[in-house]
Amino acid sequence: MTQAKERISRRGVDKFAQRREQLAESALQALAELGYARTSLREIAQKSDFSHGVLHYYFADKVELLTYAVRKFEEVCVTRYDDVVAEANTAEELERGFGAAMAATLRTDAVMHRLWYDLRNQSLFEESFRADVLEIDDRRQAMIWRVVERYAELAGAVPQVSEAVAYATFDGLFQQFLLRHLAGRETAAAELGEAVPRVVKQLFCTA
């Protein structure tokens, strides 16, 4: 293949990928609003600027679209707390910063987090995207463990739980306050921000 043909071929691939990304971003809002079970490709199309035929051309089915869309969202989410980790100079700063960051994402991205939990629950039944969910979950776990490791370094302490338990602790805490937030509890985000520092300390308690 000549260099010119290779460039044309690459442009075609890039354009296809860009289009898929645009469609996924548009579909995310519909999926986040309605949830997995209540949303079809046709319903996604009705809530976006794209036709059902266009969606079907770029994605074989709803599962492929949903998995792709959530993956794009998670590419940003799995580094959500890295700035807090990098900027904290004391254990107390990290506690407060981590709590504030969790509270902030609860306020601003609640519907997207709801979509993630919906997808994870559906993966218990839908084997077709279970592997993708597990991979995303592993990356989220690693994100939380970076916070724990930095706290251990700053506090001169050793965590008393495993990486998996630390992730389950904060994931469960976040999901609990997400439900309260979605139910209209105006103080949910603030309460989450206050709870996080206490939970961080408890990961290092030996008594």
Side-chain angles (χ1 to χ4, degrees), residues 54-97:
V54 168
L55 284 175
H56 223 308
Y57 175 75
Y58 286 93
F59 296 96
D61 53 29
K62 182 176 67 172
V63 169
E64 183 181 1
L65 172 57
L66 177 58
T67 304
Y68 182 88
V70 171
R71 272 185 170 278
K72 299 302 294 185
F73 175 65
E74 285 299 317
E75 285 177 8
V76 177
C77 290
V78 294
T79 60
R80 181 182 293 113
Y81 307 122
D82 286 359
D83 287 345
V84 174
V85 170
E87 294 169 5
N89 294 309
T90 67
E92 290 73 19
E93 284 182 6
L94 183 55
E95 290 171 15
R96 293 195 300 270

Side-chain angles (χ1 to χ4, degrees), residues 31-205:
L31 287 162
E33 178 184 343
L34 299 174
Y36 175 82
R38 297 167 55 198
T39 309
S40 65
L41 281 181
R42 190 173 301 279
E43 287 165 327
I44 293 170
Q46 290 173 351
K47 288 183 172 292
S48 69
D49 297 328
F50 304 99
S51 69
H52 177 253
V54 168
L55 284 175
H56 223 308
Y57 175 75
Y58 286 93
F59 296 96
D61 53 29
K62 182 176 67 172
V63 169
E64 183 181 1
L65 172 57
L66 177 58
T67 304
Y68 182 88
V70 171
R71 272 185 170 278
K72 299 302 294 185
F73 175 65
E74 285 299 317
E75 285 177 8
V76 177
C77 290
V78 294
T79 60
R80 181 182 293 113
Y81 307 122
D82 286 359
D83 287 345
V84 174
V85 170
E87 294 169 5
N89 294 309
T90 67
E92 290 73 19
E93 284 182 6
L94 183 55
E95 290 171 15
R96 293 195 300 270
F98 186 30
M102 288 192 77
T105 191
L106 178 62
R107 291 189 186 97
T108 59
D109 299 314
V111 293
M112 301 308 298
H113 291 299
R114 177 175 64 182
L115 177 59
W116 157 248
Y117 287 116
D118 186 18
L119 175 61
R120 192 167 70 179
N121 288 337
Q122 289 295 328
S123 71
L124 297 173
F125 304 95
E126 291 275 359
E127 187 177 354
S128 54
F129 52 74
R130 191 172 298 159
D132 293 287
V133 166
L134 287 172
E135 182 181 339
I136 292 171
D137 222 30
D138 285 344
R139 295 178 67 188
R140 291 168 67 95
Q141 178 173 300
M143 169 183 68
I144 295 299
W145 193 244
R146 289 195 292 272
V147 176
V148 175
E149 286 186 316
R150 178 56 175 160
Y151 186 88
E153 180 182 346
L154 291 171
V158 177
Q160 300 300 303
V161 299
S162 67
E163 184 173 345
V165 170
Y167 173 54
T169 300
F170 286 108
D171 183 65
L173 184 69
F174 186 87
Q175 188 173 14
Q176 181 183 56
F177 280 97
L178 173 63
L179 177 58
R180 295 176 183 180
H181 177 78
L182 293 172
R185 184 163 169 173
E186 295 181 358
T187 59
E191 291 172 9
L192 173 63
E194 292 171 359
V196 168
R198 296 194 298 271
V199 174
V200 171
K201 288 186 179 74
Q202 289 171 1
L203 299 183
F204 292 83
C205 290

